[in-house]
Amino acid sequence: MTQNSKLPGIAPWPRSAKQGRPRSGAGKTPRHRSLASLREAGQAAKRGGQISNLYSIRMRASRDKKHISGAERMVTFGEISLISQELIERALNHEIDIPNEIILTVESINNPVIETTALDISTILTDGIDDSRKKASELLKEIGVSEKAIEVAFNSIFSGAAPDYSNMRGAMVIDTSTCERLELDPYRGIRASRMDIRREIKDLFKEKLKGILSGVPNRVIEAVVLATKVSNAPSYLAELCISDNPNYTTGYVASRKSGYVRLPSLKEKGDTKGGRAFFIDGNGFDLSSFIDYIEKKPVLLTAIGRLYAPCSMEEFWKMLNEKNNTYSKSCCR
C-alpha cells in the first residue's frame, strides 16, 4: 500500500484547497480542538520545564467493527508524532486483515505514574493442547482459583465470551467463589489501559528474551506489561489469556506469586477464538475501584524481573520453591 492509498471506509482528513492542511477557524471539530489543546498543553509543559510529562497514545483498529489490532504507549510530548505514526503503520500492516477503521487517542496523563518491576517470566513445556489446558488449570487452582471458575473462563473464551458468541473486546471479570462474571458491559468487558515500559528497559528486555525464547519478543513484552499492571489491582488473584490471533497459539497464566507463565498450544492453529479473564476474590471486592485502576491508573515498568528458560511443570514448581525459599504449592493462595 502506497502512502497516498486510501483505506476503504476511512474518510480523509479535511484539507483546505490551498494549504493541504486541516481546516482552521470556526469550522473546527471537537477533535481539532482536542489536538489544539494537546499542543497548548505540550507548549505549557515546555515553558514550565516539565518535559518529562507523559501522554497516553492508544490505537484500536477494526474491520466492519471486528477487532484487528490494538496497542498503546506512554510517551513524552516530543514522541507523540513518531509513536502515533508507528502505531498506525502497525494497524495497516497487521497479519490478520486490513482495517477500515483506526481510532487513535492521545491524552495527557494527569494522575501520578506508578512505577513497578515486571513479573518474572517462565515457559512450561507441554505435550499438546489437552496437556497445556490441564497445566494451565492446575496452575490457576494452585493460585487459588476455583475449578468451576476456571471452567467458566475456558468455556466462555472458546465459545465466544460476548452475548452473541463473538470475542469480547476486553476481559471478563470472574468471582472465583461464586463463578459469576462481573463486567458491566458483556461485549466490551474491562480494558486494561495506560501502561508501558521504559524504552531502555524494553531494549534490554528484548535482548534477554531473544536468548531464551523463539518468536516475537515484542508480543511477549506487551503482554507482560499488561499482566504486570493488572496483577497489582485490588482483589486480583490471577489472569488467563489466550490470543484471538489464529496464528498465535501460546497463552499465559499470570499472578503475583507465579509470575507470567507462558503455555504453548492452548488452542488449535487457525482458531480465531480467544479472550482474557481476570479472576478476583469477591470478599470486599469493589468493581468501580477495580475498573478505575485497570483502565485509568498509569503504570510504567522501570525494571525487568527474572527470566527463566522453558522447563517442565515439575521444574517450574522446584524453581518457585527455590525462589521463595519456603515455597509450597499452597503458598500461591
Side-chain angles (χ1 to χ4, degrees), residues 228-285:
T228 300
K229 174 179 180 175
V230 174
S231 72
N232 290 295
S235 300
Y236 164 96
L237 282 177
E239 175 188 355
L240 170 67
C241 179
I242 301 170
S243 175
D244 60 2
N245 187 322
N247 299 316
Y248 191 71
T249 62
T250 298
Y252 69 82
V253 168
S255 74
R256 288 187 291 272
K257 290 290 186 181
S258 67
Y260 172 92
V261 185
R262 304 173 69 249
L263 295 116
S265 303
L266 274 171
K267 69 174 189 177
E268 295 278 3
K269 189 168 184 178
D271 188 348
T272 59
K273 291 299 184 184
R276 190 185 307 273
F278 299 147
F279 299 98
I280 59 95
D281 179 356
N283 294 324
F285 177 67

Side-chain angles (χ1 to χ4, degrees), residues 13 34-46 50-59 71-89 104-109 196 199:
W13 190 282
S34 297
L35 290 172
S37 300
L38 195 63
R39 285 193 293 270
E40 291 170 5
Q43 290 164 0
K46 288 180 179 179
Q50 300 173 342
I51 306 293
S52 61
N53 282 11
L54 295 178
Y55 296 79
S56 170
I57 305 180
R58 303 185 295 280
M59 178 275 290
E72 63 177 86
R73 302 282 295 276
M74 285 165 52
V75 303
T76 62
F77 180 77
E79 296 174 307
I80 291 175
S81 179
L82 175 63
I83 301 304
S84 295
Q85 182 178 344
E86 287 181 1
L87 293 181
I88 291 174
E89 288 293 327
L104 191 73
T105 304
V106 184
E107 293 177 333
S108 60
I109 294 175
D196 204 347
R199 304 296 166 265

